[in-house]
Amino acid sequence: MNVLISEVGPRDGLQSIARIMSTEAKKIWIDKAVAAGFTEIEVGSFVPAKVLPQLADTAEIVAYAAGIPGLTVAALIPNARGAANALAAGAHKITLPLSCSESHSLANLRRTHAQVLEDARIIAQMIRELPEGQRPHFEGSLSTAFGCTIEGVVPQAKVVELAEALMEAGCDEVGLADTTGYADPAAVRSMIRAIWGAVGKEALTGIHVHNTRGLGLANVLAAYDVGLTTFDSSLGGVGGCPFAPGASGNIVTEDLVFMFEAMGVSTGIDLDALFAVRNYVQAQLGDEPLYGFTPLAGLPLGFVPATQQSTSNEGALA
Ligand code: ZN
């Protein structure tokens, strides 16, 4: 596997639609995704059920997924209380969002940068108190890193400063998130290099981009070319309409996997099995629209995915 595709549909996708998927259906989705080759899935968010009833079963889903061998179970945590619940449920990776635009942070989380950073310190301490081998990977996510719908431009220097602050607070890693779909490939390249210059390459390996303005895959490719290796995406782009202002518009897992596999970059994911996961999720979501081009067009005639080539090479060596 050359790149890690982190499926965020069960969290980022489902939180953006009104329909509530049953706990059983979520478990089957996760099972099918693992069978298709996914090794990391963000399965939920530890927010109060009254805020996001779609994700009220996150603790149960995390505990279930943590029992699947080889799967890294990721969860979003809004604060220290959410982190405590995530640790109790057995999450392997927890992500604390820090909105680089303080206005956005105040509007959405009602918290200042200083308050979020204090939470990061508390969470890092909670993790240190766990026995070795039970400590989850702690990521601080730099959301609105490429611009904000309230403040507009977010200076690169501010993002770099917050990346340093998150690492100092005790995060294992920071992640970049283009929450608003403002990024472009040049901005992505420049931002990654600036953050690496401040905190080191091993402290930033992944990016979460949106397709709000159609640049999602271009931004992923820019990040890959510079050297990032982990990319978030949502099956069928669940929960985001690319043409609706303010919609999240996650990039579509199927198209992302196709792009890498076509380039000769192995994702470890089987595209036909992935299309079957899509069909299952579509059946569960009824008339909720799914997005993406590859599932509708089908694979090119004679297409040999990189993952299949690497598997057959391993077979030849064995
Ligand atoms: Zn997203």
Side-chain angles (χ1 to χ4, degrees), residues 165-253:
L166 281 168
M167 293 305 290
E168 278 164 20
C171 287
D172 297 308
E173 180 171 354
V174 294
L176 273 172
D178 180 23
T179 316
T180 51
Y182 280 21
D184 63 78
V188 166
R189 287 190 199 99
S190 168
M191 184 69 79
I192 293 166
R193 291 188 175 118
I195 293 177
W196 277 353
V199 298
K201 277 194 169 188
E202 61 292 332
L204 170 68
T205 64
I207 191 166
H208 179 111
V209 300
H210 283 176
N211 200 36
T212 318
R213 290 173 180 77
L215 298 189
L217 287 184
N219 290 335
V220 164
L221 190 59
Y224 171 77
D225 283 342
V226 173
L228 293 197
T229 51
T230 299
F231 304 95
D232 289 0
S233 62
S234 178
L235 183 90
V238 173
C241 173
F243 309 111
S248 77
N250 284 297
I251 50 170
V252 175
T253 303

